[in-house]
Amino acid sequence: MKKVLITGFEPFGGASINPALEAVKRLAGVELVGGKIVVCEVPVTRFESIDTVVNAIEQHQPDYVITVGQAAGRTAITPERVAINVDDFRIPDNGGNQPIDEPIIAKGPDAYFTTLPIKAISRTLQENGIPCQVSNTAGTFVCNHLFYGVQHYLRDKKIGHGFVHIPLLPEQDTLGNQATMSLETIVEGLRFVAQATIDNPSDMIIGAGQIC
Amino acid sequence: MKKVLITGFEPFGGASINPALEAVKRLAGVELVGGKIVVCEVPVTRFESIDTVVNAIEQHQPDYVITVGQAAGRTAITPERVAINVDDFRIPDNGGNQPIDEPIIAKGPDAYFTTLPIKAISRTLQENGIPCQVSNTAGTFVCNHLFYGVQHYLRDKKIGHGFVHIPLLPEQDTLGNQATMSLETIVEGLRFVAQATIDNPSDMIIGAGQIC
Amino acid sequence: MKKVLITGFEPFGGASINPALEAVKRLAGVELVGGKIVVCEVPVTRFESIDTVVNAIEQHQPDYVITVGQAAGRTAITPERVAINVDDFRIPDNGGNQPIDEPIIAKGPDAYFTTLPIKAISRTLQENGIPCQVSNTAGTFVCNHLFYGVQHYLRDKKIGHGFVHIPLLPEQDTLGNQATMSLETIVEGLRFVAQATIDNPSDMIIGAGQIC
Amino acid sequence: MKKVLITGFEPFGGASINPALEAVKRLAGVELVGGKIVVCEVPVTRFESIDTVVNAIEQHQPDYVITVGQAAGRTAITPERVAINVDDFRIPDNGGNQPIDEPIIAKGPDAYFTTLPIKAISRTLQENGIPCQVSNTAGTFVCNHLFYGVQHYLRDKKIGHGFVHIPLLPEQDTLGNQATMSLETIVEGLRFVAQATIDNPSDMIIGAGQIC
């Protein structure tokens, strides 16, 4: 019986809603084949976001951690491949911080790869009719910050972790300027992300690269 | 008690599904405030598509007609502003026809504007959390062909009509290359299109233009 | 010896530059095979823009008129297929007008098709290495207004006319948010538009349609 | 007097042209303020591409190395922030290799950050009217492979290096499906990249992050 911790960010940048938070509310306590989901809400503030997830890990002792954030404009659920050791915030976080080109962890390695089976996850969602695509950049804002910080904390532990970006909800862009995804599809997609993570201790060897 | 005929195209271009057809299946018989929906399935074949809808109009005697088709890549439900008198098919229709720059109606006017309240429709969907945007081109394939042909048939009749494009379904692009919209959101959106049509015998004066 | 009048809009919307104006400055007096180019600058103001071009037509007595405007975000030179009889301005024009859903010509037809050989034009530019694509919407701002108004004025005259949208210049979006095209490419492209217009009294039958 | 080595890839993926190669041909021997440019052509083949640039570095003994490749669809010149230690080729390289999720350097670090002053470079190009934007992913094909491999080779040497992606040329997409940039603008842009590199031994602290 595996335990999967899924975390979701609060709203930020003046928004009143964050699809990641709405999704984790619906995923709390959901049963998987051979596992169950626990969740936690994360502030959109550098350092504090990492502390919050680290505390949740210590409290819940999960086998896997899936951190989730909103990616405006994306058309698919996108498991991230890599976290990089830099904060370069285009807008202030919810604590008013706006660092430029500062390391997340001083003298930390330049990057950490995900330890989730992102190819198996993508295949699983696609086979279930949900748009999914590996992403090679988690940006340089709080999403990447949290991804890197949690990966650094887990570097010597036997807990898989990765970050997953999700699209905006339809109600977040009713003028239709950007792609969106319904909350039902996002919740179902994240449930498959968790299930595929449990089901694939080793990732599949499937091409999902980008030329650039 | 108003009757609204909503029509949906069959799959085309090698696809096995068309969100317009899936949506109208779910909209058949749906009750509105002051009205109800009847539906009809339309072949993706020039002329035959028009004949099919004209026959359905003669059979159902609706107050309003909403013809619906799939628009790959669009991020919103898009009521069309204008139909133009030209067939320029990028791919063959389901009957194998691929005309280039032929008129739909010989000596017909160059265009017909929609007679649906597209501004009120857009406002209604947006207020209900569904991405909606007026479009100024219905393309030059069978969607525009049907829009023009039905508008020409109705030119002296007191039946409102317009064409509405809808996005792909998530399962139609699981690699995430294009925006999609869930069937639930599309069906709810089209129900609001029908309701707003009944509720607004005259359109609202709301800006929804494009610079180009 | 054919005379081609090419017109370019002034800057608008707070910009200090308009690629259409920059291009026509460089095209003034340019010789073509079997023709020459004359130009005129056009204010971005409804009605006044039409009057300006009509005056230039009466002064220059051209064989062909090519009206040109800027289309932010487009990746190609785009000859427009059709002008529609509606003003729906997303932003005010340079005279402060911002009409919503008003006709350009009261009781005018809903649309006019271009009378330029847009398929031959597209083929010519493409063969000369310049991105070109037929567009099916000129928007609902002053570009479409001028296109419609000039086409209406010319409806019984033997002067070909159409509107061509061009991309932004690189210096108009140095942050790289939208596609741009160099002034050299635009000028060369518009010269080919004029040459292809002279060379093709009848358009080629080449598919260049859009599904939607 | 600083020496800047700029390298450009051969055509790949069935294309007959690569803007990177065309650009470096024109940049060979160009004089900068306080420096000059030398160039080298690079095969689009994993490992061999790295060897070629390493050989050129050993031959030319440059102060800075700027590796350049084509990025279809991008609207700007994009200095890359980070190279990651993975080959995941969507298409075969010119040697027929198509690795999936293989490391470029076994047991190498997960990533290397650029050692070019990418913020100063971006500012310089923007101030000179050339679209430029920091990119946070160089993809997972030969561009990233070369970027990572050269950075690994230089890790203990006092030679700055980074990768710069450039858009397609207009003649590479005459149908206008993607953004392009003229060769003149690309060449001028890369000259500014080299000049800004010489002029800024330390990078500027300017925000250029992405939310995701």
Side-chain angles (χ1 to χ4, degrees), chain A residues 42-90:
Chain A
V42 184
V44 181
T45 309
R46 69 192 302 230
F47 302 123
E48 198 179 327
S49 60
I50 300 172
D51 294 344
T52 300
V53 175
V54 166
N55 287 342
I57 292 171
E58 293 180 347
Q59 176 197 337
H60 291 295
Q61 300 286 328
D63 298 281
Y64 301 101
V65 182
I66 300 167
T67 43
V68 181
Q70 156 188 313
R74 292 205 185 163
T75 53
I77 292 179
T78 49
E80 297 290 346
R81 193 192 288 264
V82 64
I84 60 175
N85 190 19
V86 67
D87 278 345
D88 188 2
F89 288 10
R90 181 177 288 270

Side-chain angles (χ1 to χ4, degrees), chain D residues 49-153:
Chain D
S49 60
I50 301 173
D51 294 344
T52 301
V53 175
V54 166
N55 286 343
I57 292 171
E58 294 180 347
Q59 176 198 337
H60 290 296
Q61 300 287 326
D63 298 281
Y64 302 101
V65 181
I66 301 166
T67 43
V68 181
Q70 156 188 315
R74 293 206 184 163
T75 54
I77 292 179
T78 50
E80 295 291 346
R81 193 192 288 265
V82 64
I84 60 176
N85 190 19
V86 68
D87 278 345
D88 188 2
F89 288 11
R90 180 176 288 269
I91 58 172
D93 68 17
N94 285 355
N97 309 294
Q98 194 170 7
I100 298 177
D101 291 349
E102 297 180 11
I104 298 164
I105 305 288
K107 301 188 197 303
D110 286 356
Y112 284 108
F113 283 114
T114 185
T115 44
L116 293 185
I118 56 176
K119 302 298 182 78
I121 287 168
S122 300
R123 174 66 60 91
T124 299
L125 270 71
Q126 290 163 4
E127 287 179 349
N128 284 282
I130 300 174
C132 189
Q133 193 174 65
V134 169
S135 164
N136 296 309
T137 174
T140 60
F141 190 53
V142 183
C143 290
N144 173 72
H145 179 97
L146 176 64
F147 183 10
Y148 184 91
V150 172
Q151 212 63 329
H152 184 73
Y153 167 75

Side-chain angles (χ1 to χ4, degrees), chain A residues 75 126 131-133 174-176 180, chain B residues 75 126 131-133 174-176 180:
Chain A
T75 53
Q126 290 163 4
C132 190
Q133 193 174 65
T174 57
L175 297 179
T180 63
Chain B
T75 54
Q126 291 164 4
C132 189
Q133 193 173 66
T174 57
L175 297 180
T180 63

Side-chain angles (χ1 to χ4, degrees), chain D:
Chain D
M1 190 70 172
K2 301 292 186 184
K3 195 186 285 184
V4 183
L5 172 62
I6 304 185
T7 80
F9 279 114
E10 293 171 348
F12 67 93
S16 60
I17 195 170
N18 188 319
L21 182 58
E22 298 308 308
V24 301
K25 284 180 190 169
R26 279 159 188 75
L27 287 163
V30 164
E31 311 257 324
L32 303 167
V33 180
K36 69 173 285 189
I37 294 171
V38 295
V39 307
C40 126
E41 181 174 339
V42 184
V44 181
T45 310
R46 68 192 302 231
F47 304 123
E48 198 180 326
S49 60
I50 301 173
D51 294 344
T52 301
V53 175
V54 166
N55 286 343
I57 292 171
E58 294 180 347
Q59 176 198 337
H60 290 296
Q61 300 287 326
D63 298 281
Y64 302 101
V65 181
I66 301 166
T67 43
V68 181
Q70 156 188 315
R74 293 206 184 163
T75 54
I77 292 179
T78 50
E80 295 291 346
R81 193 192 288 265
V82 64
I84 60 176
N85 190 19
V86 68
D87 278 345
D88 188 2
F89 288 11
R90 180 176 288 269
I91 58 172
D93 68 17
N94 285 355
N97 309 294
Q98 194 170 7
I100 298 177
D101 291 349
E102 297 180 11
I104 298 164
I105 305 288
K107 301 188 197 303
D110 286 356
Y112 284 108
F113 283 114
T114 185
T115 44
L116 293 185
I118 56 176
K119 302 298 182 78
I121 287 168
S122 300
R123 174 66 60 91
T124 299
L125 270 71
Q126 290 163 4
E127 287 179 349
N128 284 282
I130 300 174
C132 189
Q133 193 174 65
V134 169
S135 164
N136 296 309
T137 174
T140 60
F141 190 53
V142 183
C143 290
N144 173 72
H145 179 97
L146 176 64
F147 183 10
Y148 184 91
V150 172
Q151 212 63 329
H152 184 73
Y153 167 75
L154 293 173
R155 67 194 180 286
D156 297 323
K157 299 187 175 60
K158 300 225 170 292
I159 302 176
H161 167 244
F163 195 92
V164 177
H165 268 115
I166 57 176
L168 294 179
L169 295 174
E171 60 262 42
Q172 289 182 282
D173 184 8
T174 57
L175 296 179
N177 293 320
Q178 300 173 98
T180 62
M181 185 176 276
S182 76
L183 185 56
E184 290 68 28
T185 305
I186 290 172
V187 169
E188 192 186 1
L190 291 176
R191 194 177 57 75
F192 278 120
V193 171
Q195 186 67 57
T197 296
I198 290 178
D199 293 346
N200 293 274
S202 300
D203 202 356
M204 296 174 178
I205 307 300
I206 305 169
Q210 297 290 344
I211 292 182
C212 68

Side-chain angles (χ1 to χ4, degrees), chain B residues 146-201:
Chain B
L146 176 64
F147 182 10
Y148 185 92
V150 173
Q151 213 62 331
H152 184 75
Y153 167 77
L154 293 173
R155 66 195 180 285
D156 297 322
K157 299 186 176 59
K158 299 225 170 294
I159 301 176
H161 166 245
F163 195 92
V164 177
H165 267 116
I166 57 176
L168 295 179
L169 297 174
E171 61 262 42
Q172 289 182 282
D173 184 8
T174 57
L175 297 180
N177 293 320
Q178 300 172 98
T180 63
M181 185 176 276
S182 75
L183 185 56
E184 289 68 27
T185 306
I186 290 172
V187 169
E188 191 187 0
L190 290 176
R191 194 177 57 75
F192 279 120
V193 171
Q195 186 67 56
T197 297
I198 290 177
D199 293 347
N200 294 274

Side-chain angles (χ1 to χ4, degrees), chain C:
Chain C
M1 190 70 172
K2 301 292 185 182
K3 195 186 287 183
V4 183
L5 171 62
I6 304 186
T7 80
F9 278 115
E10 293 171 349
F12 67 93
S16 60
I17 197 169
N18 188 319
L21 182 57
E22 298 308 309
V24 299
K25 285 180 190 169
R26 279 159 188 76
L27 288 163
V30 164
E31 311 257 324
L32 303 166
V33 179
K36 68 172 286 190
I37 295 172
V38 294
V39 307
C40 121
E41 181 175 339
V42 184
V44 180
T45 309
R46 68 192 302 228
F47 302 123
E48 198 180 327
S49 59
I50 300 172
D51 294 343
T52 300
V53 175
V54 166
N55 287 343
I57 292 170
E58 294 180 349
Q59 175 196 337
H60 290 296
Q61 300 287 329
D63 298 281
Y64 302 102
V65 181
I66 301 167
T67 43
V68 181
Q70 156 188 314
R74 292 204 184 164
T75 54
I77 292 178
T78 50
E80 297 290 346
R81 193 192 289 264
V82 64
I84 61 176
N85 190 19
V86 68
D87 279 344
D88 189 1
F89 288 10
R90 181 177 287 270
I91 57 172
D93 68 16
N94 285 354
N97 309 296
Q98 194 169 8
I100 298 177
D101 291 348
E102 297 179 12
I104 297 165
I105 304 289
K107 301 187 197 301
D110 286 356
Y112 285 107
F113 283 114
T114 186
T115 45
L116 293 185
I118 56 176
K119 303 298 182 77
I121 287 169
S122 300
R123 174 66 60 91
T124 299
L125 270 71
Q126 290 164 4
E127 287 179 349
N128 284 281
I130 300 174
C132 189
Q133 193 174 66
V134 169
S135 165
N136 296 309
T137 173
T140 60
F141 191 53
V142 184
C143 290
N144 173 73
H145 179 96
L146 176 64
F147 183 10
Y148 184 92
V150 173
Q151 214 62 330
H152 184 73
Y153 167 76
L154 293 173
R155 66 196 180 283
D156 296 323
K157 301 185 174 61
K158 301 226 169 290
I159 301 177
H161 166 243
F163 195 93
V164 177
H165 268 115
I166 57 176
L168 295 179
L169 297 174
E171 61 262 42
Q172 290 181 283
D173 185 9
T174 57
L175 297 179
N177 294 320
Q178 299 173 98
T180 63
M181 184 175 277
S182 75
L183 184 56
E184 291 67 28
T185 306
I186 290 171
V187 169
E188 193 186 358
L190 290 176
R191 194 177 58 76
F192 279 120
V193 170
Q195 187 66 58
T197 297
I198 289 178
D199 292 347
N200 293 274
S202 299
D203 202 358
M204 296 175 178
I205 306 300
I206 306 170
Q210 297 291 342
I211 293 181
C212 70

